[in-house]
Amino acid sequence: MAERWEPAAFKARVDEVLHGYVADEAGELTAVDAALGPVADQLESAVAAGKRLRAAFCYWGWRAVGQPDSDALVQAAASMELVHAAAVVHDDLIDDSPLRHGRPTPHVALRAALQHHPRAAAGARSLAMLVGDLLMSLAGQLFVTSGLPAAYLGRARPLWAALARDLVAGECLEILHTGAAPDTSASLKVIRYKTAKYTVEQPLLIGGALAGAGGRLCAGYSAYGVPLGEAFQLRDDLLGLFGDPETTGKAGADDVRGRRPTTLLAETWRLAGDGDRGRLRELLGRREPDGDALEAVREVMRRLGAPDRVEAMIAERVGEALGALDELDLPPAPAAALTALAHSASVRAS
């Protein structure tokens, strides 16, 4: 790969690894029994799209140490996208989200394979859970078979345990806080563990560990990665309620319907007086808020300035991340790439 960061070329390399690897695994699944075809299809669908940001952070975590471009490293980095695919399948299942990238989510799509089942919806949810489990297993397998030396892989093994633990902790915290009184500190902890760490910080640290990064560089990766990962999820929260579903590929307002502990809702609650809090309780307390109710929630948020507050939080975190990056004094290519990735992660439409 050229020294200049070329996101499209890198994405193509990662896609080639992912699509080939998962297609092979899907074939192994259907070889067991043809009835597993719909499950195998969802396995492949889970990796069909994506910006491959997590793989990119892993790659530049490696390159910033001074290591050269490596096909084996790209394969190891691609495993980060399988972690993400697993997390997305499980997250959509937990949140009961019907759409992702404009397509039915696995627990919805798999109902078609269970028309004979006495509880088709429940059966489809079980199948989707197993698809997510298999994707996480395949992530570890792709990583250890990447072709990198065993000693390199051994340096990263503890970070894999931390990645899985933090991801599960964040998802559990979101469930535990769903429906509770909105609280900004609690919401920020949820996004830090559920999204920020496995999106930016941990891929960087894993790439760095593979390359033999020292303590100062790893500390810098965390100082850059955590705030940037939070900015990424804060942007996602805004897009979830104020973005165009045609662009985002997700059903609008899922977070509000599910009363999830987003920072956007927490900031709205913090800024609201008694009257607005009463209005929000009434709107959010409905069993299934309709379009008018959702628009009323948006109107309260806009009037109180909550979206602007979240935008300010995003800008603050991106500035913190870029400041930490500057302090590392990296070579030009990784410095430019990580700067560009900060923009890609925090300023986007989908």
Side-chain angles (χ1 to χ4, degrees):
M1 174 172 276
E3 286 301 303
R4 189 170 66 86
W5 174 227
E6 297 176 357
F10 179 80
K11 180 182 181 302
R13 292 175 73 185
V14 174
D15 282 347
E16 183 178 6
V17 171
L18 285 175
H19 295 163
Y21 181 71
V22 174
D24 287 346
E25 291 294 332
E28 293 288 341
L29 201 60
T30 54
V32 173
D33 194 301
L36 291 167
V39 177
D41 289 344
Q42 289 306 308
L43 204 64
E44 293 192 79
S45 179
V47 299
K51 299 177 181 66
R52 313 311 185 200
L53 288 174
R54 293 156 188 86
F57 284 118
C58 184
Y59 177 85
W60 286 107
W62 162 275
R63 291 295 307 276
V65 183
Q67 293 279 11
D69 178 60
S70 160
D71 288 338
L73 187 280
V74 172
Q75 184 162 314
S79 69
M80 301 291 101
E81 298 299 330
L82 288 174
V83 171
H84 176 54
V88 165
V89 171
H90 285 149
D91 195 48
D92 286 341
L93 177 60
I94 291 166
D95 294 343
D96 203 21
S97 297
L99 292 174
R100 173 76 63 164
H101 298 305
R103 297 190 298 270
T105 48
H107 67 276
V108 174
L110 284 164
R111 292 176 193 170
L114 295 171
Q115 295 178 13
H116 63 284
H117 198 288
R119 298 175 62 236
R125 293 178 70 85
S126 297
L127 290 175
M129 177 185 68
L130 294 168
V131 168
D133 291 348
L134 182 53
L135 285 164
M136 184 63 87
S137 174
L138 293 178
Q141 182 67 12
L142 179 60
F143 185 79
V144 299
T145 60
S146 62
L148 290 170
Y152 288 26
L153 296 170
R155 291 195 293 251
R157 188 172 294 118
L159 294 169
W160 269 86
L163 183 155
R165 181 177 59 249
D166 288 347
L167 181 53
V168 169
E171 193 70 70
C172 289
L173 283 172
E174 182 177 68
I175 295 168
L176 291 165
H177 288 302
T178 292
D183 177 81
T184 298
S185 295
S187 297
L188 287 172
K189 178 173 278 190
V190 168
I191 69 173
R192 185 175 306 124
Y193 283 88
K194 181 188 169 187
T195 303
K197 284 178 167 287
Y198 95 89
T199 297
V200 187
E201 182 199 24
Q202 286 161 333
L204 274 169
L205 289 172
I206 287 171
L210 291 170
R216 178 180 176 273
L217 184 54
C218 289
Y221 283 171
S222 293
Y224 164 90
V226 172
L228 181 57
E230 290 180 0
F232 175 89
Q233 184 56 44
L234 289 169
R235 175 63 61 202
D236 208 55
D237 289 350
L238 283 175
L239 290 172
L241 192 55
F242 293 97
D244 179 3
E246 292 293 322
T247 302
T248 63
K250 292 186 68 177
D254 275 359
D255 288 339
V256 169
R257 285 194 175 96
R259 294 186 65 189
R260 291 169 205 143
T262 66
T263 304
L264 176 61
L265 179 58
E267 281 297 288
T268 302
W269 191 260
R270 184 182 65 80
L271 295 164
D274 290 343
D276 283 323
R277 287 188 176 187
R279 177 66 170 147
L280 287 169
R281 284 193 192 95
E282 188 272 325
L283 292 167
L284 297 174
R286 298 181 186 181
R287 184 176 180 86
E288 282 290 332
D290 58 18
D292 289 342
L294 294 172
E295 185 52 41
V297 171
R298 292 186 186 97
E299 190 279 327
V300 172
M301 288 178 167
R302 290 190 191 99
R303 178 164 47 77
L304 294 174
D308 293 337
R309 172 60 189 143
V310 174
E311 286 284 3
M313 294 169 75
I314 292 170
E316 177 184 352
R317 282 159 174 76
V318 173
E320 182 181 344
L322 292 176
L325 185 64
D326 287 343
E327 289 183 10
L328 287 175
D329 194 26
L330 297 177
L338 290 171
T339 299
L341 283 166
H343 179 83
S344 298
S346 59
V347 182
R348 64 191 205 280
S350 63

